[in-house]
Amino acid sequence: PISLNALPGFTITKAVVKNAPDRALPVSWQIEGAKENDGGRRVQFNPFPGVERPLWVPATWPDQRQDGIVMPYCFTWEAHAKVHIPKGWAAAPQQPIQVSNGFGSVSWSCVKVDGADGPELDVDYEVSVDAMFGASQEVDKLKALLSAVQEGWTRTLTVEHAR
């Protein structure tokens, strides 16, 4: 679900739920909006505002783990953002994230493309949990996966006024 409280300064112009009646297709939703510039030469923002984190990441870890690892369920979570870059502004793509191990995978990419109305950033973020169970000795693999989830979740995009 989306939290409109997490979208300060954004104006929602369109929201659509797709495939809700068809159980054979994955349910998805599309939201379009805009954020006015507050007068600065730089705008920094989360490309997925209001979307809940795909997987909980603990703030701290115990020194040792005795119990086996149990994930809540296997799933694939995908998010895509398309950010229009206004004329006179610029944005650079970022380094991708690509982590894959026995528990699952995380990928995050941001590429600059030529859109119909000018340059755009296409941002894709995918989290997949492929295994529900692991031995306590595999905690480093779990930490690596969750670290990548956290990194992708906290990334922001920066659009700057061209000089």
Side-chain angles (χ1 to χ4, degrees):
I2 188 164
S3 167
L4 294 179
N5 293 333
L7 301 171
F10 278 84
T11 302
I12 306 298
T13 57
K14 180 180 177 182
V16 178
V17 176
K18 297 179 178 182
N19 305 325
D22 191 341
R23 292 169 44 173
L25 296 172
V27 175
S28 65
W29 57 274
Q30 176 183 350
I31 186 169
E32 293 180 14
K35 181 171 174 50
E36 289 296 322
N37 180 12
D38 60 5
R41 298 186 59 78
R42 174 182 222 195
V43 178
Q44 194 168 25
F45 56 94
N46 178 334
F48 307 108
V51 178
E52 289 189 18
R53 183 185 308 258
L55 195 58
W56 178 75
V57 178
T60 61
W61 292 86
D63 291 336
Q64 291 186 332
R65 183 175 185 101
Q66 303 297 323
D67 298 325
I69 298 166
V70 180
M71 299 299 283
Y73 48 85
C74 294
F75 68 91
T76 299
W77 177 93
E78 297 174 338
H80 176 77
K82 188 174 288 202
V83 179
H84 173 73
I85 302 169
K87 187 173 183 170
W89 291 73
Q94 295 185 18
Q95 290 294 329
I97 299 170
Q98 192 68 47
V99 172
S100 182
N101 62 33
F103 283 104
S105 61
V106 176
S107 65
W108 190 99
S109 65
C110 175
V111 295
K112 191 172 178 182
V113 297
D114 292 327
D117 296 324
E120 297 175 338
L121 292 178
D122 270 348
V123 185
D124 287 302
Y125 182 29
E126 182 176 304
V127 175
S128 191
V129 172
D130 302 326
M132 287 184 57
F133 305 103
S136 60
Q137 299 87 342
E138 295 180 287
V139 72
D140 287 340
K141 288 181 186 177
L142 179 61
K143 286 180 180 180
L145 183 75
L146 294 181
S147 176
V149 169
Q150 181 69 13
E151 182 182 352
W153 185 251
T154 57
R155 282 202 175 175
T156 57
L157 302 179
T158 302
V159 180
E160 297 179 299
H161 198 269
R163 295 179 180 171

